Structures are given as C-alpha cells and as structure tokens.
C-alpha cells in the first residue's frame, strides 16, 4: 500500500465520518459545532483565494454580513423563499465587492488591508445606523428557517432540527467548495494566482489585471455572502457587531494556520481552530482566548506552512533520521 | 479604532502628523456626531480614512 492510496483511504474515512456523523448520535452541540465549522471552512477557503492573489484584507466578515442581512431581509421583508434569497444575498455581497473593488485596488499591500479595514467599520456602522432596514444594534430577530422541501404529496423535509440543518450546510458548503476548486484550477484561477508573482509582467503581456482582480474579489465576496446566509438562517439572529473585524481576523487565522499553499489548507485550519476554540472555551472558560492566542503563536513559529504541510514535514524528519544512521560504519 | 484612523490619516511614523490628525479627527467626529448622529460621526471619520488612503496612502504627513 503506497502513500498515495494511504492518503486516499484516510480522506475517505474522514469524509465518511463527516457525512455519517449524525447517525453516531453525537448530540446537538457537536452538530452545532459541525455547522459552524462548515461556515468557517467556506469563509476561509474563499478568503485564501484573494490571499494567494497577493492581497491580504480584513473585510471578509463584512461581505458575510452583507450576504447575511441580504438573505434575511429578502426572506422577511421581500417574501422570497430561502432557495432564492440565499443566492441573491450572496449576489448583493458580490455586487458591493465589484463596486468597491475599483477604489480598493488602486492601492496595494498594507494600504489595501487598511482600506478594507476602514470599509468594514463603515459597513458595520451603517448596519447599526440604518434602523428602518436592519433594526440597528438590537439585531434582526426571528430570521426564518429555510423553507421546507415538499416532495409531492405529504412528504416534507423541515429544517427545524440540527440534523437537517447539518446536512443542508454540508451539501451547500460542498457545492461551494467544488465551485471554488474548479475556479481555482481553471485558466482564470491560473491568471489570478500569477498576480502574486508579478503584476507588472502580467500587464505587459496584455492581461487586464484590474478586471481580473475585481472579478476574483467579487467571487470571493459571493462565497462569503453565501456563508453569511447559511449562518444567519442557522442562528436566526443578525447582529451588526458579529460581522466586524473580529470575525475577519478569525477567518485570516483559520486560513493562515491551515496553510494557504494548498486548496485544502484553509479547510483544515478552519475545522481545527473552530474545534479548538470551542474545546478551550468549554474546558477553560475565561482563559480560552489566551489559550487560543498562545496556540496560534506557537503554530506560526513552529510550522509556518500550516497544518496541511505537517504530514510532509513529519515524514521528511522521519526519513532524514532513518538515512543518517549507517553513515560512519563503512571503512 | 479611532486611534487607527488617526495614525492612518496622520501618517505612520510622524509625531507631528499624529498630533494634527488627532485635532482634525476629533473635530470631524464631534461635529458630525452633533449634527447627524453618533454612528454617522464615526462613519464620516472612516470614510475620511478611505479617502486619505486613496489620495495619499502614506498619510497627510507621512514619508515613503
């Protein structure tokens, strides 16, 4: 059994556990964490696409919030069904990203991060101020659950249980990850990731880098808004302060600790860190954020390529330890 | 958050920039809050931050 099929066997086992988790009766809390993990996976993977383009930014939770408020309000005030309001909320987030991309992409590097940080504060304050639309700082209460799927006669699938929402979140996140994988592997994705090496070289070849960057930004914001829609119909509450810098920094740490070199890196980082922060909170209560911060620092110092690169590094250590033993014996 | 705005507008690394930007931001914030409302004051400050980053990213008194 070579390492290639061992890796596939491991992934199939993991996949099986994720799909059949509710049948093991782990309890509502575990399913709750699972749904949050799916949301964070989608956020981290879509954010990492822009990081691999060479632009680090702190506004991902803002697009999540625009998608969340959009989906919730379209369903509550617009009367749309969930299956329409979720993509429409995400499209609103993508539209805002496309609009704001034109001023944002005039600057690079740290200034891009700062201008997106300022934008996230502006949008958060707009959510608080626009009371007639978003009910301000008291938040939107009573966001409806997804509409039940009715199969013909009387067989209906209601989403009021955590198990049903777990599978909904799993399927939606799986579809979004599949779409992101295809986008990142396509010619479009190849051009996007070339921006990180040398944008001026791309421009000299004749690629309209501004348009490619704005399109990538809009795609990333679409999936952030999609994750926001899944989030808001799960917790059924929308507060402006949830979708602020704090959640964006969480997304950044999920993606970086997971490792951005690989497509699956942010997935591992989001799953691992969400699980860890919930575990630290239930074990240590008040000290959980200190523990999480120390954990993050140790992670970045010891394995900066991320969690996804850990198996390779461990194997490399083992192999190099095996080779150097019989060296000095031959006369 | 306001301190971030002041540093960005004043320029990272200049003390004179920070002082003058502090005066400017304080006045903008309080005038807008009184005229329009508390959150709009902060919105105006952060929109000013975005404009400064677009026009002069190093800040009003910043170098490099």
């Amino acid at each position: 059994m070579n390492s290639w099929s061992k890796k596939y066997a491991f992934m199939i086992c993991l996949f099986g556990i994720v799909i059949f988790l509710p049948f093991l009766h782990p309890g509502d809390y575990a399913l709750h964490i699972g749904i949050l993990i799916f949301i964070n996976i989608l956020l981290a993977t879509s954010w990492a696409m822009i990081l691999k383009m060479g632009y680090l930014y702190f506004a991902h939770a803002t697009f999540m919030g625009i998608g969340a408020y959009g989906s919730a309000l379209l369903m509550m005030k617009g009367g749309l069904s969930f299956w329409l309001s979720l993509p429409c909320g995400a499209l609103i987030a993508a539209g805002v990203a496309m609009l704001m991309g034109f001023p944002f992409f005039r600057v690079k590097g740290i200034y891009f991060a700062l201008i997106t940080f300022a934008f996230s504060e502006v949008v958060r304050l707009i959510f608080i101020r626009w009371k007639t639309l978003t009910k301000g700082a008291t938040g939107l209460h009573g966001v409806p659950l997804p509409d039940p799927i009715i199969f013909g006669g009387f067989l209906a699938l209601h989403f009021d249980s955590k198990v049903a929402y777990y599978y909904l979140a799993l399927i939606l996140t799986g579809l979004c990850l599949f779409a992101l994988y295809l986008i990142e592997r396509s010619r479009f994705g190849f051009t996007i990731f070339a921006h990180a090496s040398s944008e001026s070289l791309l421009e000299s070849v004749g690629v309209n880098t501004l348009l490619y960057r704005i399109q990538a930004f809009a795609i990333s914001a679409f999936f952030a808004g999609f994750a926001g829609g899944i989030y808001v119909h799960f917790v059924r509450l929308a507060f402006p302060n949830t979708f602020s810098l704090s959640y964006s920094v969480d997304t950044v740490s999920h993606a970086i600790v997971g490792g951005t070199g690989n497509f699956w890196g942010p997935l591992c980082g989001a799953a691992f860190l969400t699980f860890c922060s919930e575990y630290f909170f239930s074990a240590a209560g008040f000290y959980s954020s200190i523990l999480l911060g120390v954990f993050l620092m140790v992670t970045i110092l010891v394995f900066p390529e991320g969690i996804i690169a850990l198996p390779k590094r461990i194997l490399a250590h083992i192999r190099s330890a095996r080779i150097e033993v019989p060296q000095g014996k031959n006369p | 958050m306001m301190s971030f705005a002041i540093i960005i507008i004043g320029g990272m690394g200049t003390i004179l920039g920070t002082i003058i930007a502090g005066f400017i931001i304080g006045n903008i914030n309080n005038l807008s809050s009184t005229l329009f409302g508390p959150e709009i004051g902060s919105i105006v400050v952060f929109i000013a931050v975005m404009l400064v980053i677009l026009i002069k990213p190093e800040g009003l008194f910043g170098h490099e």
Side-chain angles (χ1 to χ4, degrees):
Chain A
M1 208 182 181
N2 56 8
S3 70
W4 182 77
S5 62
K6 256 190 262 184
K7 192 163 65 169
Y8 270 3
F10 175 71
M11 280 174 57
I12 289 177
C13 281
L14 214 60
F15 209 56
I17 294 177
V18 166
I19 292 184
F20 293 109
L21 185 66
F23 292 103
L24 304 171
H25 295 287
D28 270 357
Y29 184 49
L31 292 177
H32 180 98
I33 298 180
I35 296 172
L36 288 179
I37 287 180
F38 292 144
I39 294 169
N40 286 333
I41 283 176
L42 187 53
L43 285 172
T45 313
S46 54
W47 182 84
M49 187 168 94
I50 302 296
L51 181 70
K52 286 192 270 199
M53 197 167 85
Y55 288 86
L56 187 150
Y57 68 106
F58 290 107
H60 213 56
T62 309
F63 295 120
M64 178 194 185
I66 295 176
Y69 270 105
S71 175
L73 289 169
L74 279 172
M75 223 174 147
M76 286 165 70
K77 296 203 178 154
L80 290 179
S81 106
F82 170 77
W83 311 104
L84 269 179
S85 76
L86 183 60
C88 284
L91 277 173
I92 295 175
V96 172
M98 209 179 279
L99 227 72
M100 300 310 292
F102 283 100
F104 287 174
F105 283 112
R106 290 184 168 277
V107 295
K108 297 195 209 310
I110 181 78
Y111 302 116
F112 186 73
L114 288 175
I115 201 172
T116 50
F117 158 69
F119 173 68
S120 77
E121 285 293 297
V122 168
V123 175
R124 180 184 68 92
L125 290 161
I126 290 178
F127 284 155
I128 294 180
R129 178 67 185 185
W130 203 345
K131 289 201 185 67
T132 52
L133 190 67
T134 65
K135 293 200 177 48
T138 55
L140 266 182
H141 295 264
V143 176
L145 287 167
D147 300 333
I149 307 177
I150 303 185
F151 302 101
F154 43 82
L155 201 63
L157 177 63
H158 291 273
F159 290 106
D160 45 6
S161 70
K162 285 232 172 23
V163 178
Y165 211 93
Y166 177 86
Y167 280 118
L168 176 70
L170 172 65
I171 292 174
L172 288 176
T173 307
L175 287 173
C176 289
L177 282 179
F178 184 59
L180 269 170
Y181 185 70
L182 289 178
I183 290 173
E184 294 197 6
R185 267 189 53 149
S186 72
R187 190 177 176 83
F188 176 78
F190 182 71
T191 317
I192 288 296
F193 296 147
H195 282 77
S197 324
S198 172
E199 266 185 41
S200 41
L201 184 60
L202 270 180
E203 284 195 4
S204 68
V205 175
V207 168
N208 192 344
T209 56
L210 182 65
L211 255 118
Y212 270 92
R213 280 179 285 170
I214 290 180
Q215 281 170 13
F217 199 47
I219 290 174
S220 173
F222 176 84
F223 288 111
F226 207 86
I230 300 177
Y231 174 83
V232 82
H233 291 281
F234 175 54
V235 298
R236 307 190 67 187
L237 286 171
F239 286 111
N241 291 317
T242 322
F243 308 114
S244 63
L245 182 69
S246 165
Y247 209 132
S248 289
V249 170
D250 281 346
T251 304
V252 171
S253 63
H254 291 160
I256 292 186
V257 164
T260 46
N262 198 339
F263 178 77
W264 308 104
L267 187 150
C268 295
F272 186 61
L273 279 184
T274 309
F275 174 77
C276 277
S277 63
E278 291 286 329
Y279 182 73
F280 287 155
F281 191 75
S282 66
F286 171 71
Y287 299 99
S288 63
S289 22
I290 301 178
L291 273 169
L292 192 66
V294 168
F295 194 72
L296 282 173
M297 282 194 289
V298 165
T299 305
I300 293 176
L301 285 172
V302 173
F303 35 95
E305 300 103 36
I307 294 179
I308 195 83
L310 260 184
K312 265 197 206 109
R313 278 188 62 162
I314 295 176
L315 277 173
H317 270 275
I318 296 176
R319 284 207 188 106
S320 65
R322 245 188 250 155
I323 289 174
E324 66 190 344
V325 167
Q327 277 302 321
K329 296 282 181 160
N330 290 330
Chain B
M1 294 305 128
M2 281 297 149
S3 49
F4 266 123
I6 294 172
I7 296 174
I8 295 170
I9 290 190
M12 292 180 251
T14 63
I15 298 183
L16 178 68
T18 311
I19 296 174
I20 296 185
F23 275 123
I24 297 175
I25 297 286
N27 280 315
I28 291 180
N29 196 4
N30 283 312
L31 275 173
S32 312
S33 299
T34 314
L35 286 175
F36 304 117
E39 298 94 7
I40 297 201
S42 301
I43 291 179
V44 169
V45 166
F46 283 108
I47 291 184
V49 169
M50 286 168 72
L51 285 174
V52 165
I53 294 182
L54 283 175
I55 299 174
K56 190 166 193 280
E58 310 87 36
L60 292 177
F61 294 88
H63 308 296
E64 56 119 15

